[in-house]
Amino acid sequence: MTSPSPTQRRGRPGGSSGTDLLAVARDVLLARRYAGATMDAVAAQARISKQTLYKQYPSKEILYAAVVRDWVDRGRDAMAPHLQKLMATDDVGQGLLELCRTLHHGVLSAPVLQMRTLITAEAERFPDVAADYASRSWDHNQALLADALRHLAGRGLLRVDHPEVAAEQLTWLTLAAPLNRLTLTGGAARYPAEELDDIAHEAVVTFLARYGTGEEASG
């Protein structure tokens, strides 16, 4: 018989704690939005007492900030293996195409869209939370992408003088149209996979027209 996990030792038997508790709180916030979410609802869904919840997070504001920090921490290094693969490629066109598909899969996923919507809606109320999210998530990944493009330029596979600008351009060539549509429709106007793949292909072709050496393939 196995011993209880650390997340089962505190609060009521089987109750959530640690990152599991924050995941429960995130579900409540996404389902009810900030205004409709209550500490009572979080405690009930986490199967812990309100006293236990308040001991860890004395207010809904503190809990919300912790939920966003945890979300960023969970996804902070998600792009790293994909960028390592891009830096190692000998076929920069195919490597960029695979990265664009990865961006679609990640940024356009329902959980990411829902969190972006929540954070945007509460940015005026919690500007520091939104700024931390932007800095440690979006800006962090853009810096990693710029480093990858700089590396490819150093290998002679791209011609990039300003990697930060190139990273931003590649990102928005890939994401602008679908992200705009999905954001404005609350995620209802989903893109067919074939249409997303066409967007990825065109993003790479356009990017290589500006930054390519003329010898790469586009996948």
Side-chain angles (χ1 to χ4, degrees):
M1 181 176 181
T2 60
S3 60
S5 70
T7 59
Q8 294 177 321
R9 292 192 182 113
R10 298 194 297 274
R12 296 172 183 168
S16 301
S17 64
T19 57
D20 290 340
L21 172 56
L22 292 174
V24 169
R26 184 174 70 248
D27 289 343
V28 173
L29 285 161
L30 292 178
R32 304 188 180 195
R33 298 294 183 258
Y34 182 85
T38 65
M39 298 291 275
D40 285 359
V42 173
Q45 192 158 321
R47 302 186 309 280
I48 60 176
S49 68
K50 288 188 292 182
Q51 291 82 0
T52 297
L53 179 60
Y54 276 105
K55 184 176 181 181
Q56 298 178 62
Y57 304 101
S59 69
K60 186 169 73 169
E61 293 86 352
I62 293 172
L63 178 60
Y64 170 71
V67 165
V68 176
R69 283 196 305 271
D70 176 67
W71 175 259
V72 173
D73 290 342
R74 287 170 182 255
R76 183 171 172 80
D77 295 320
M79 286 297 296
H82 303 286
L83 293 172
Q84 289 290 334
K85 184 177 180 181
L86 174 62
M87 288 189 288
T89 190
D90 292 320
D91 184 344
V92 70
Q94 183 62 32
L96 289 169
L97 181 60
E98 291 177 7
L99 180 68
C100 291
R101 289 167 173 163
T102 297
L103 288 173
H104 282 160
H105 180 75
V107 178
L108 303 182
S109 67
V112 173
L113 288 172
Q114 290 167 355
M115 282 299 294
R116 286 173 61 93
T117 299
L118 174 65
I119 293 164
T120 301
E122 300 303 327
E124 185 173 354
R125 191 198 314 253
F126 302 109
D128 291 344
V129 173
D132 182 70
Y133 171 82
S135 174
R136 295 199 304 120
S137 179
W138 187 269
D139 293 348
H140 172 71
N141 283 313
Q142 285 292 281
L144 292 179
L145 176 54
D147 286 343
L149 298 179
R150 185 180 292 108
H151 178 83
L152 291 172
R155 293 180 56 202
L157 297 176
L158 293 174
R159 294 179 294 186
V160 178
D161 294 325
H162 303 288
E164 293 78 10
V165 174
E168 187 175 64
Q169 290 172 343
L170 178 61
T171 298
W172 287 113
L173 284 168
T174 306
L175 293 175
L179 183 60
N180 185 57
R181 183 193 295 184
L182 289 167
T183 299
L184 293 177
T185 63
R190 306 301 302 183
Y191 273 69
E194 297 81 4
E195 189 172 351
L196 283 178
D197 213 44
D198 287 342
I199 291 172
H201 275 277
E202 290 303 317
V204 172
V205 169
T206 302
F207 185 81
L208 290 178
R210 170 63 178 84
Y211 296 108
T213 65
E215 299 178 2
E216 59 285 316
S218 59

